[in-house]
């Protein structure tokens, strides 16, 4: 028997988890469950990350977490427990499979356009770092960071810009097999794709890391129908099936998924979808219908009965954090600095003050406001906010050190409140920073 | 006669502009055109912002720019002339109207789901500020900034999260009338909506500012078919019609738009859309077909013949940049600083070094890596990049000044390369910065 951690979730979480585990039990899976404390009620007990230390330890020991939907208390400044779990355990790849299901009608299924798309979403970075500051009382900053991805030259792929992708997904979703996206874009596109196949009730989600993996339903907790035994467990079941495959239980996964597809093809449904002329089943009865169809093969999309496989072992312990660092052979040098200052003065007034601080090592390159250059050239038709970027570079790209930057910082702070700073770096002869708009 | 600036654009730009101006001429519009130099060929002449100073001056004098699609040279580090124009002239509102057109079949039109959505996209801010730095050789940072929006309490609106919006747009686009979005999300959603009505060939775009407005086709320059007189001018024509309304020429706008809709209802089309069993027209013939239908009323979506209106005057001159600043009554104070340092050491090693620099005014709050807390608590399963956020706050929220921050900066720079810094501010008793994930 393999033991996994299970968190039932909030709202409808416990009842859909119970339905899915009933299906798993009927399939006689070689699994033991250790239930852990995560979710809204754990925030309410005073754990500011939404999980108990015991839950964290159990999950880190077992390596697999199966979880229901969870709610994050609003207006308390706490962060989503779902996101905390994904980030803390470095489940860097969010894998979601979206498939047309017979019995789940959509605009696209009616038009005869089949959808079978796997979205892989980077799960840690981007604006979801959640590093946010008010620079002035008018200007909020979110730091969007992206690290160098690993190369997979053996994989063939095409590039597409996100806006074009979304346009094509609503016209020809059948053109796409696998889409790999950064975090924010992946968030948007995966819900868009969920819409193509009938909504979040049919969209499984797996968060894959090197040590810990999380399989979860990503729909809401639906507190309005919680406890009524009418919620749709399909997304959680599909997530569970993907967990079984991850653990190498290929045969049981195929039996359960085929039974689900067969059940949907029969027109069996919970109250939230399907043919309204047929009565809907409650959560328990829907699960039982699936169990009764174990061994049945659906007309469309039947999964092959593969032999069980050895699972990637997750039962190792890390003693320290892993550092991901690429090699860089070019020489690094500091060649300037951007200061973000608070001011409501005109560009030329600020520039004249800044010029006095440049000294013998720096030259004042430009001033920009919201990314648009406003000095030395610009337009009076560029509206301003009270936050300027003042860029200084070294004369002739001479390498600078931190003391040079600090000297300028000290000098300039006599005139301005400096809200933020960024070094300007070069690697070899490549500038590692962007120009301002209009520069 | 009113004079407007016209930029023909690159690729298919000149021929579709010529088709649209032919339609305008036939409608005897009271317009004069001054053609200006913008686009790829202007970059090639050495103007790094893609427009000549003469073009800029003309546009700033006339206040209205009608432009074809433009290309930005790739790999030269220059910025898009389209974006430069929008930002330099503070055309802060991008308005795009997406309507089901009879004769332009889509999955949604076939399903009988009508689309009539106006997207208003903020046009200046967000990650489109383009303020980007490599902090280490592995970590890139883009600054996403958002300023305080003006309130319009008289407007009734609902909030929706972007992922949920996209899911609903592909299932029930008929639920939406007007969608107001930040820049990046607006970029994605407006192309998604273009897909709902048949693509960018049918999607007009207006960029509205207080002084200068830009009306443009946002599709590509299609260099592969340039000069062949087969391009589809519909999007540019719709953008031009929206310009006519902006200028108060309501009656001519209605005559031309009704003629366009009538023409589409007749099954007349260029080669890129429509009923393939009917021969397609070339660009010129398509424009002539529309001219020949002046006075005709389409079956669906006919525009009412409103009387011409006085246009908002744009012929004023600004002498200096406008500063947008809200009032803030709460006291501002500095209560700490985030330093972003380069290091590939373990969290506890870094924390021990940082603790020595805290002195009598600061306490070390935490270390985070990609937004996830890794000290004082955290998980060894959080993978690291060589860029840490080290947060210091003042003891008991005592107000700090820039000299305090600089003292700490100087001290800490003895141990680390500090790539970036952000002040931690409070207004009144409100912290103006986010917690780390897991904090």
């Amino acid at each position: 028997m393999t033991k996994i951690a299970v968190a039932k979730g909030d709202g409808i979480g416990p009842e859909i988890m119970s339905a899915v585990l009933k299906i798993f039990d009927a399939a006689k899976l070689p699994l033991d469950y250790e239930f852990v404390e995560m979710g809204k009620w754990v925030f309410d007990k005073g754990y500011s990350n939404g999980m108990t230390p015991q839950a964290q330890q159990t999950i880190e020991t077992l390596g697999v977490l199966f979880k229901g939907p969870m709610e994050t208390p609003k207006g308390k400044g706490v962060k989503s427990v779902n996101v905390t779990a994904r980030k803390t355990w470095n489940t860097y790849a969010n894998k979601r499979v979206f498939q047309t299901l017979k019995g789940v009608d959509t605009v696209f299924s009616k038009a005869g356009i089949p959808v079978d798309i796997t979205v892989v979403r980077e799960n840690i970075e981007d604006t979801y770092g959640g590093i946010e500051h008010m620079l002035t009382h008018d200007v909020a900053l979110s730091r969007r960071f992206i690290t160098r991805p690993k190369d997979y030259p053996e994989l063939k792929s095409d590039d597409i810009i996100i806006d074009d992708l979304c346009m094509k997904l609503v016209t020809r979703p059948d053109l796409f097999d696998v889409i790999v996206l950064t975090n924010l874009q992946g968030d948007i596109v995966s819900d868009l794709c969920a819409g193509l196949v009938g909504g979040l009730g049919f969209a499984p989600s797996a968060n894959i890391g090197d040590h810990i993996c999380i399989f979860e339903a990503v729909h809401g907790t639906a507190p309005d129908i919680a406890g009524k035994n009418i919620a749709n467990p399909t997304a959680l079941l599909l997530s569970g099936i993907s967990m079984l495959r991850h653990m190498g239980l290929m045969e049981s996964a195929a039996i359960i998924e085929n039974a689900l597809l067969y059940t949907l093809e029969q027109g069996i449904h919970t109250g939230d979808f399907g043919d309204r002329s047929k009565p809907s089943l409650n959560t328990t009865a829907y699960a039982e219908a699936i169990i009764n169809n174990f061994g049945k093969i659906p007309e469309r999309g039947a999964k092959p009965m593969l032999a069980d496989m050895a699972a990637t072992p997750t039962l190792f312990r890390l003693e320290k954090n892993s550092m991901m660092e690429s090699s860089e052979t070019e020489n690094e040098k500091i060649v300037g600095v951007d200061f973000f200052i608070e001011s409501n003065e005109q560009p030329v007034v600020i520039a004249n003050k800044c010029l006095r601080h440049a000294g013998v090592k720096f030259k004042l390159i430009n001033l920009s406001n919201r990314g648009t250059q406003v000095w030395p050239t610009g337009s009076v038709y560029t509206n301003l906010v009270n936050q300027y970027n003042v860029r200084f570079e070294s004369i002739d790209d001479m390498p600078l050190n931190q003391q040079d930057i600090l000297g300028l910082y000290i000098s300039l702070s006599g005139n301005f409140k400096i809200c933020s700073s960024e070094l300007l770096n070069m690697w070899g002869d490549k500038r590692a920073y962007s120009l301002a708009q209009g520069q």
Side-chain angles (χ1 to χ4, degrees), chain A:
Chain A
M1 304 289 272
T2 305
K3 191 180 263 190
I4 63 169
V6 176
K8 294 179 183 176
D10 299 308
I12 56 170
E15 61 210 83
I16 59 174
M17 182 60 80
S18 157
V20 171
L21 295 185
K22 190 170 185 173
I23 295 169
F24 281 9
D25 288 345
K28 303 199 192 322
L29 297 177
L31 294 180
D32 272 343
Y33 310 119
E34 182 154 346
F35 293 93
V36 295
E37 301 192 310
M38 288 176 79
K40 182 169 184 300
W41 55 286
V42 182
F43 282 107
D44 294 344
K45 283 166 80 172
Y47 296 98
S48 69
N49 63 356
M51 64 179 96
T52 60
Q54 175 62 36
Q56 175 167 348
Q57 202 194 317
T58 300
I59 294 161
E60 292 184 358
T61 303
L62 299 177
V64 173
L65 170 63
F66 187 33
K67 72 182 271 299
M70 289 177 191
E71 196 180 329
T72 301
K74 295 236 162 51
K76 297 198 175 167
V78 299
K79 301 233 176 183
S80 155
V81 61
N82 306 304
V83 179
T84 295
R86 292 172 207 158
K87 288 174 62 171
T88 301
W89 296 316
N90 205 55
T91 62
Y92 49 81
N94 177 225
K95 181 187 171 199
R96 299 181 67 187
V97 178
F98 304 97
Q99 279 183 291
T100 302
L101 295 169
K102 193 158 190 254
V104 184
D105 282 342
T106 70
V107 176
F108 293 87
S109 70
K110 287 181 194 163
I113 301 176
V115 176
D116 183 359
I117 298 173
T118 297
V119 169
V120 179
R121 165 186 173 189
E122 195 286 321
N123 223 3
I124 308 288
E125 308 191 336
D126 209 333
T127 48
Y128 290 72
I131 309 171
E132 297 169 3
H133 300 79
M134 292 292 295
L135 295 188
T136 76
H137 70 272
D138 279 339
V139 180
L141 171 71
S142 166
R143 294 170 79 90
R144 176 182 196 230
F145 55 88
I146 303 282
T147 56
R148 199 182 287 277
K150 207 167 150 184
D151 267 338
Y152 293 90
E154 69 276 22
L155 295 181
K156 186 178 170 313
S157 63
D158 299 311
D159 280 349
I160 185 168
I161 294 177
I162 181 67
D163 51 2
D164 191 25
L165 171 66
C166 289
M167 188 166 58
K168 292 207 166 70
L169 280 172
V170 302
T171 48
R172 291 292 308 275
D174 51 315
L175 296 178
F176 297 90
D177 295 319
V178 177
I179 310 173
V180 179
L181 294 137
T182 50
N183 203 343
L184 172 60
Q185 302 183 348
D187 185 8
I188 295 171
V189 168
S190 55
D191 273 21
L192 189 166
C193 288
L196 299 179
V197 299
L200 291 179
F202 304 94
S205 182
N207 302 283
I208 309 293
D210 290 330
H211 175 67
I212 293 164
C213 296
I214 305 169
F215 300 87
E216 61 183 336
V218 293
H219 54 65
T221 59
D224 51 320
I225 59 162
K228 295 185 178 169
N229 194 34
I230 58 171
N232 175 1
T234 309
L236 186 62
L237 178 59
L238 286 166
S239 300
I241 291 168
S242 123
M243 175 178 72
L244 300 185
R245 293 213 171 86
H246 178 80
M247 299 176 74
L249 302 169
M250 310 305 279
E251 192 177 336
S252 299
I255 290 171
I256 298 172
E257 189 162 2
N258 284 337
L260 167 66
L261 296 178
Y262 184 89
T263 305
L264 292 172
E265 284 183 358
Q266 304 299 304
I268 290 170
H269 62 94
T270 48
D272 54 314
F273 75 100
D275 183 351
R276 308 283 154 160
S277 70
K278 291 190 184 178
S280 62
L281 299 191
N282 68 24
T283 310
T284 312
Y286 180 79
E288 283 162 359
I290 294 168
I291 292 168
N292 289 333
N293 286 328
F294 279 2
K296 298 276 173 51
I297 304 297
E299 271 176 47
R300 288 217 325 226
K303 304 300 164 190
M305 292 285 171
L306 302 179
D308 285 356
M309 293 161 51
T312 311
T314 55
L315 294 174
F316 61 88
R317 295 286 306 168
L318 283 182
E319 297 304 323
K320 58 176 194 162
N321 295 74
S322 302
M323 172 64 59
M324 308 183 296
E325 199 175 21
S326 72
S327 61
E328 170 65 60
T329 53
E330 297 281 6
N331 276 336
E332 172 181 337
K333 61 179 176 179
I334 302 171
V335 294
V337 59
D338 279 348
F339 290 116
F340 296 83
I341 64 167
E342 179 167 350
S343 174
N344 57 13
E345 294 178 300
Q346 287 291 303
V348 66
V349 177
I350 297 172
N352 286 336
K353 290 183 187 173
C354 289
L355 283 167
R356 292 203 299 268
H357 298 286
V360 296
K361 292 197 170 172
F362 292 93
K363 58 187 174 205
L364 177 64
I365 299 296
N366 70 351
L367 270 61
S368 57
N369 194 293
R370 297 194 291 177
T372 300
Q373 178 170 297
V374 291
W375 184 94
T377 59
S379 167
V380 291
Y381 299 100
T382 305
N383 282 15
L384 306 173
V385 297
N386 60 356
Q387 170 73 211
Y388 282 86
N389 180 3
V390 179
R391 173 164 291 180
F392 290 92
E393 290 179 3
S394 66
I395 290 160
D396 299 328
D397 291 336
M398 283 285 291
L400 301 166
N401 59 35
Q402 292 203 87
Q403 279 57 49
D404 298 324
I405 302 296
L406 275 162
L408 181 58
Y409 195 142
I410 292 166
S411 179
L412 196 67
S413 71
N415 272 124
F416 298 105
K417 180 181 178 189
I418 298 172
C419 306
S420 178
S421 66
E422 303 275 356
L423 295 188
L424 302 180
N425 294 306
M426 290 181 75
W427 277 273
D429 59 359
K430 269 172 65 178
R431 273 170 214 284
Y433 50 95
S434 61
L435 299 183
Q437 199 87 38
Q439 189 176 346

